[in-house]
Amino acid sequence: MQVPLLDLKAQYQTIKHEIIPAVTEVMESQYFILGPKVKAFEERVADYCRTKYAVGVSSGTDALLIALMALDLQPGDEVITTAYSFFATAGSIARLQAKPVFVDIDPVTFNINPNQIEDKVTKKTRAVIAVHLYGQTADMDPILSIAQKHGLSVIEDAAQAIGSEYIKHRRAGSMGDMGCFSFFPSKNLGGFGDGGMVTTDDAGLYEKLTYLRNHGAHPKYYHKMIGGNFRLDALQAAVLDIKLNHLDDWTAARQENATYYTQGIVESGLDKWVTTPSIEKGYRHIFNQYIIRAQQRDDLITFLKQHQIGCEVYYPVTFNNQECFRYLGYKKGDFPQAEKAAAETLALPIYPELTVEQKNYVVETIAAFYG
Ligand SMILES: *Cc1c(COP(=O)(O)O)cnc(C)c1O
């Protein structure tokens, strides 16, 4: 049996009949950049994330970049973030000549450890980027209160977390000053190419984001600020608008798959070797990834791949150990929990269309490895 890490074709087959007319409509209109499709989709995403505004942009990476630009981040400013995330989280800070300042993770949730943030605050600190890794939000209350105390902005990197909730049903992207989302095809809401969104409740930031994504122009050809081409395509909005109708069902299926794996792993006694993901009390985890911590991780990966089970390490190298960040002066071992996670974890297939047979096969194959 084959179990790919992700099977986008399986999902496409279920919605093809809805997608083709929507895409055809855009093609007939020949209206490709921003426009009514994008506007309508932005309003739906704002609604879904329970924010006042949403601004469609060209990718999750550009969402982070434009959010930082909207804060007028200056060269030499410092932005505190996790040592363990997808590259764009830290890359977007460095691209503005600001300084990424890393913090270790909580070993249970893999999210930034809020207890280690305040020590990193200096006179130059401007913002915190909290990443909601794998689909579960960071512990936001302590982060928000540290930010308030020191006058820092908070950006949520919610690229993996659309619809995820923190305690008291607060949605990812609605807690900080801005939330950044990605519609990369492998995200829970994935387009047919690149796309992203920035959410905010702040009318001033909203306005600025809409200018910045279009070279800072307002009105057209008059530039008060320097932005870029960070626009979302109407074709992507048309696809994503259809997919958004299915998102809660897909999330439910991901959650069921996660429960199934965790039960299977525990019932087979595999929890001696494998730590299953935690769901924090009162949170809504949307399982963009199902991450286990596994003994003999690299041998397990080889074994799973030999048995045609897709798996991946997210992420094998922490930010302090990235060559491009050598100039920041960190060294190996500075973030022991993040580095341990990078060495011990792997993602199993969790996509909504997995069959019971496939899930059983994954658990049985892990059992065969340790047995
Ligand atoms: C995917 C991702 C991004 C970047 O999104 P793109 O749309 O691929 O540019 C940023 N941060 C995190 C945590 C991500 O998972």
Side-chain angles (χ1 to χ4, degrees):
M1 188 182 305
Q2 278 196 8
V3 191
L5 185 60
L6 180 63
D7 188 352
L8 290 172
K9 283 185 188 167
Q11 181 175 87
Y12 179 56
Q13 290 314 316
T14 68
I15 52 169
K16 196 174 172 176
H17 62 286
E18 298 176 83
I19 297 276
I20 288 174
V23 167
T24 303
E25 190 190 318
V26 176
M27 292 193 293
E28 292 298 330
S29 80
Q30 291 289 300
Y31 198 146
F32 293 121
I33 311 287
L34 297 178
K37 276 277 172 203
V38 170
K39 180 101 188 115
F41 177 59
E42 287 172 340
E43 280 166 15
R44 286 194 67 204
V45 171
D47 231 43
Y48 189 78
C49 297
R50 304 183 191 140
T51 59
K52 286 202 184 113
Y53 310 103
V55 180
V57 294
S58 30
S59 68
T61 302
D62 289 339
L64 288 163
L65 189 66
I66 199 175
L68 291 168
M69 289 168 80
L71 296 177
D72 287 318
L73 199 70
Q74 296 298 312
D77 285 350
E78 296 178 5
V79 178
I80 296 173
T81 194
T82 173
Y84 190 59
S85 176
F86 178 63
F87 181 74
T89 309
S92 59
I93 302 167
R95 282 172 68 187
L96 295 172
Q97 276 79 53
K99 184 178 168 187
V101 175
F102 302 127
V103 171
D104 207 357
I105 59 166
D106 175 307
V108 174
T109 63
F110 306 108
N111 278 321
I112 191 167
N113 183 339
N115 301 324
Q116 297 185 20
I117 293 176
E118 201 160 18
D119 283 349
K120 306 285 176 86
V121 176
T122 73
K123 283 198 194 70
K124 291 185 174 168
T125 310
R126 289 285 319 282
V128 177
I129 302 182
V131 183
H132 306 319
L133 204 61
Y134 309 139
Q136 178 160 256
T137 71
D139 185 6
M140 290 302 290
D141 277 338
I143 297 171
L144 293 167
S145 70
I146 293 163
Q148 190 167 33
K149 183 172 157 195
H150 296 278
L152 312 176
S153 300
V154 175
I155 294 173
E156 295 172 66
D157 181 342
Q160 301 181 6
I162 191 162
S164 180
E165 289 176 13
Y166 184 52
I167 51 173
K168 299 181 197 149
H169 301 290
R170 286 172 287 170
R171 286 230 157 157
S174 72
M175 296 175 277
D177 297 277
M178 286 171 276
C180 299
F181 293 88
S182 165
F183 305 124
F184 186 79
S186 68
K187 306 293 158 112
N188 286 25
L189 182 62
F192 287 5
D194 282 308
M197 189 76 73
V198 184
T199 53
T200 185
D201 281 331
D202 184 306
L205 285 173
Y206 169 68
E207 190 177 62
K208 206 160 167 190
L209 290 163
T210 60
Y211 302 163
L212 284 169
R213 78 168 157 188
N214 203 9
H215 295 291
H218 182 73
K220 208 173 177 182
Y221 305 123
Y222 290 80
H223 302 262
K224 281 202 193 79
M225 57 187 96
I226 301 169
N229 174 356
F230 301 124
R231 298 176 301 240
L232 181 65
D233 288 344
L235 278 169
Q236 295 306 334
V239 169
L240 291 162
D241 195 58
I242 302 266
K243 283 196 164 195
L244 183 54
N245 299 330
H246 301 274
L247 184 59
D248 284 331
D249 289 341
W250 290 334
T251 296
R254 285 173 181 272
Q255 290 168 332
E256 276 166 36
N257 292 344
T259 304
Y260 196 90
Y261 275 147
T262 296
Q263 271 173 7
I265 286 166
V266 172
E267 279 162 17
S268 325
L270 293 168
D271 50 339
K272 210 157 52 177
W273 299 282
V274 170
T275 308
T276 55
S278 83
I279 304 174
E280 297 300 290
K281 197 161 172 275
Y283 289 43
R284 182 188 194 217
H285 192 327
I286 60 147
F287 285 99
N288 178 242
Q289 299 296 345
Y290 182 92
I291 301 292
I292 59 170
R293 200 186 275 274
Q295 285 179 31
Q296 299 162 258
R297 193 264 320 255
D298 293 341
D299 293 336
L300 175 61
I301 290 173
T302 307
F303 191 79
L304 291 174
K305 288 192 172 157
Q306 275 166 359
H307 290 81
Q308 307 199 47
I309 294 172
C311 54
E312 186 75 78
V313 176
Y314 298 116
Y315 297 88
V317 184
T318 56
F319 290 152
N320 58 305
N321 292 327
Q322 290 291 357
E323 196 176 326
C324 68
F325 290 139
R326 223 175 259 168
Y327 71 97
L328 293 170
Y330 291 105
K331 49 185 194 317
K332 213 171 168 175
D334 281 348
F335 303 101
Q337 294 302 344
E339 294 177 59
K340 202 161 181 287
E344 294 182 350
T345 60
L346 76 151
L348 298 178
I350 191 71
Y351 62 88
E353 298 78 15
L354 280 176
T355 64
V356 173
E357 292 73 24
Q358 285 176 312
K359 287 180 277 190
N360 288 340
Y361 177 65
V362 171
V363 176
E364 283 157 17
T365 308
I366 296 171
F369 174 76
Y370 289 108

